Amino acid sequence: MASKIGIAREIGNAVQKTSDRTGGWYGPHMAAASRAIADRIPLVDFVLQVRDARIPFSSHFQQYPFSSGRQIIVLNKIDLASRSQLKDWVAYFNRRNCLSIGVNSHNKDSVKQVNSFLFCIFVSIPQLALLLIIFCFSQLLNFLQARVRELKKTDLSSHTITALLVGIPNVGKSALANSLHQIGRISAAEKGKLRHATVTPQPGETKDITSLKIASHPNIYVLDTPSILPPQIHDIEVCSKLALTGAIRDGLVGEKELARYFLGILNFSEEYKKWAKFSTNENDGEHSNGPELEMKRKRVYPTDHTQDFMVHKVRQTLYEVISGFGANLEDESNLERLIDVQLTALREVFQVAADLGEDGESKVACKLLNLYRTGRLGHYTLDSITNETV
């Protein structure tokens, strides 16, 4: 899907050129973090490689090769990805002897599942039956048996297990570490001040390695590490996907280009068809009339694009524009024309003044990107399993 869109190639080329010219994302802090992680790898029991569930291949942490016996792939942000494709990716990794699990680091029930899973890896407890349903039977059993045999040599009550949490920028490592820490401390009824790893929507904010306790008896700690990208990324399609999902700073490419890229993906997807219920054409105006809706609108703020009624208007507008566009989108000139029409329509929905010029275009793009990146405009998995390798 993404490879059909010319703007994706343009974004990928722009990312590569910027990196070649200015060093891009790989600064001294990433070089230092890379050395620090390398020093700790021999000291930890296993590695949690966190990836973005929207780009399970493109978000691969490439700095160091980890053996499958010491690594678990955690696909974070499952709330933003296609549910059916997530299952396919988990099965794909398991077929290649890579134990994997999907998680939403902002959902307590989802994080509890990961916490239980990690505990089961080292201690035989009843949750194993549930885990066997989720994961490849033989791989999980082999992994468990190997770890239990190793741990039987020690006193579990005094044994400390350490996991190294690694990943590229903005895959949610720190959010996952905080959630595991909070749930683990509560489950163990431990007192004391909770620690927190720094969490922001901007990539590359974690600068130091932080140790957080996530379980007791045995004690299990995760080491949250700074995010690292390789100095060079040669695949332009991977570059474009990293930029769209926020792993690379928007400033390297530009919000307007990224917004056009997302609209291209939306236009080739099935997601917009789910929004027919918001269309006034489909429902004879039922969403635009009625005293209850009018009362609600008195309490809303039209400039806040994240409110439900604004999100509904955005979906309605995009659905109607795409549905009413009859040209063949395989022709890139038609696709570009449709995207222009969509951005013009969204400018009115977001109530951005026409006289703002390029600043107005940037505001529309930023609002649209925010809605995509927070899952309000559907669930998308940008990577295809076909011909992909771990």
Side-chain angles (χ1 to χ4, degrees):
M1 177 176 63
S3 60
K4 294 182 178 180
I5 304 166
I7 187 66
R9 295 187 293 273
E10 296 175 15
I11 289 174
N13 285 324
V15 170
Q16 285 187 338
K17 289 178 181 178
T18 302
S19 176
D20 292 340
R21 187 173 62 253
T22 66
W25 52 82
Y26 196 83
H29 70 285
M30 279 197 182
S34 183
R35 292 190 295 270
I37 291 173
D39 291 341
R40 283 166 175 77
I41 289 176
L43 307 177
V44 301
D45 296 283
F46 66 105
V47 174
L48 292 176
Q49 184 189 154
V50 185
R51 301 191 188 185
D52 189 326
R54 296 169 294 178
I55 48 172
F57 172 73
S58 299
S59 57
H60 178 204
F61 186 81
Q62 304 177 28
Q63 299 307 104
Y64 308 99
F66 302 114
S67 65
S68 59
R70 294 185 64 213
Q71 176 182 219
I72 301 169
I73 295 176
V74 180
L75 298 174
N76 194 19
K77 304 189 179 185
I78 59 174
D79 52 314
L80 306 180
S82 163
R83 292 172 177 81
S84 61
Q85 291 185 63
L86 173 67
K87 294 178 181 177
D88 294 339
W89 273 103
V90 170
Y92 170 85
F93 288 129
N94 287 337
R95 288 196 303 271
R96 283 154 180 78
N97 297 319
C98 296
L99 206 59
S100 61
I101 183 172
V103 65
N104 171 6
S105 59
H106 297 289
N107 181 286
K108 288 185 178 180
D109 290 334
S110 181
V111 175
K112 283 180 180 178
Q113 182 183 357
V114 177
N115 207 314
S116 298
F117 170 61
L118 295 178
F119 199 78
C120 282
I121 291 296
F122 299 100
V123 184
S124 179
I125 57 176
Q127 282 95 319
L128 177 59
L130 173 61
L131 290 168
L132 288 176
I133 299 173
I134 306 172
F135 300 99
C136 179
F137 286 38
S138 60
Q139 293 164 22
L140 182 58
L141 281 174
N142 290 339
F143 193 93
L144 280 170
Q145 289 167 353
R147 300 310 294 160
V148 170
R149 280 197 300 268
E150 181 177 332
L151 291 176
K152 278 182 178 178
K153 302 174 185 177
T154 65
D155 179 7
L156 285 180
S157 63
S158 60
H159 189 79
T160 297
I161 299 162
T162 307
L164 191 66
L165 204 61
V166 300
I168 69 169
N170 211 28
V171 292
K173 289 188 295 78
S174 296
L176 178 60
N178 286 336
S179 296
L180 287 170
H181 175 54
Q182 182 180 22
I183 291 172
R185 291 284 299 275
I186 292 173
S187 299
E190 291 192 358
K191 297 181 179 179
K193 187 176 181 181
L194 288 172
R195 302 185 67 188
H196 293 282
T198 302
V199 177
T200 78
Q202 300 302 318
E205 287 299 313
T206 301
K207 305 296 184 185
D208 302 306
I209 295 179
T210 305
S211 174
L212 299 170
K213 188 175 183 180
I214 66 170
S216 300
H217 310 296
N219 295 324
I220 303 178
Y221 289 83
V222 293
L223 301 180
D224 182 33
T225 65
S227 304
I228 301 177
L229 281 169
Q232 298 289 331
I233 301 175
H234 301 291
D235 189 322
I236 61 173
E237 191 172 333
V238 169
C239 287
S240 63
K241 293 172 184 176
L242 293 175
L244 182 60
T245 53
I248 295 173
R249 295 190 308 274
D250 292 346
L252 288 180
V253 179
E255 290 87 351
K256 289 186 287 186
E257 289 75 13
L258 292 172
R260 297 183 71 87
Y261 180 24
F262 164 66
L263 287 174
I265 291 172
L266 171 67
N267 295 334
F268 277 110
S269 76
E270 298 292 315
E271 286 292 309
Y272 77 90
K273 295 179 182 178
K274 302 174 184 177
W275 304 337
K277 60 185 177 182
F278 299 117
S279 172
T280 54
N281 296 333
E282 298 286 336
N283 294 286
D284 298 322
E286 75 174 74
H287 287 281
S288 59
N289 298 312
E292 291 184 3
L293 185 59
E294 290 304 318
M295 288 179 64
K296 289 181 180 179
R297 285 185 174 174
K298 292 178 181 178
R299 298 192 295 270
V300 299
Y301 303 91
T303 55
D304 182 0
H305 64 283
T306 64
Q307 292 192 99
D308 287 346
F309 91 99
M310 285 294 290
V311 174
H312 292 171
K313 286 187 67 176
V314 171
R315 292 174 177 175
Q316 171 190 326
T317 299
L318 290 172
Y319 172 80
E320 292 177 353
V321 171
I322 299 172
S323 300
F325 194 83
N328 178 17
L329 296 184
E330 296 292 336
D331 184 331
E332 282 196 19
S333 62
N334 290 332
L335 178 61
E336 291 291 335
R337 190 157 53 89
L338 171 58
I339 292 173
D340 287 336
V341 174
Q342 290 171 313
L343 290 172
T344 300
L346 289 175
R347 188 169 191 143
E348 182 176 345
V349 172
F350 291 139
Q351 299 189 17
V352 176
D355 58 3
L356 290 179
E358 291 190 4
D359 288 342
E361 294 175 4
S362 296
K363 286 187 176 183
V364 172
C366 287
K367 289 174 183 288
L368 182 63
L369 278 176
N370 175 262
L371 293 181
Y372 157 66
R373 288 172 174 169
T374 53
R376 292 178 172 92
L377 295 181
H379 306 87
Y380 305 86
T381 298
L382 307 183
D383 281 340
S384 171
I385 292 178
T386 306
N387 297 326
E388 303 285 19
T389 56
V390 176

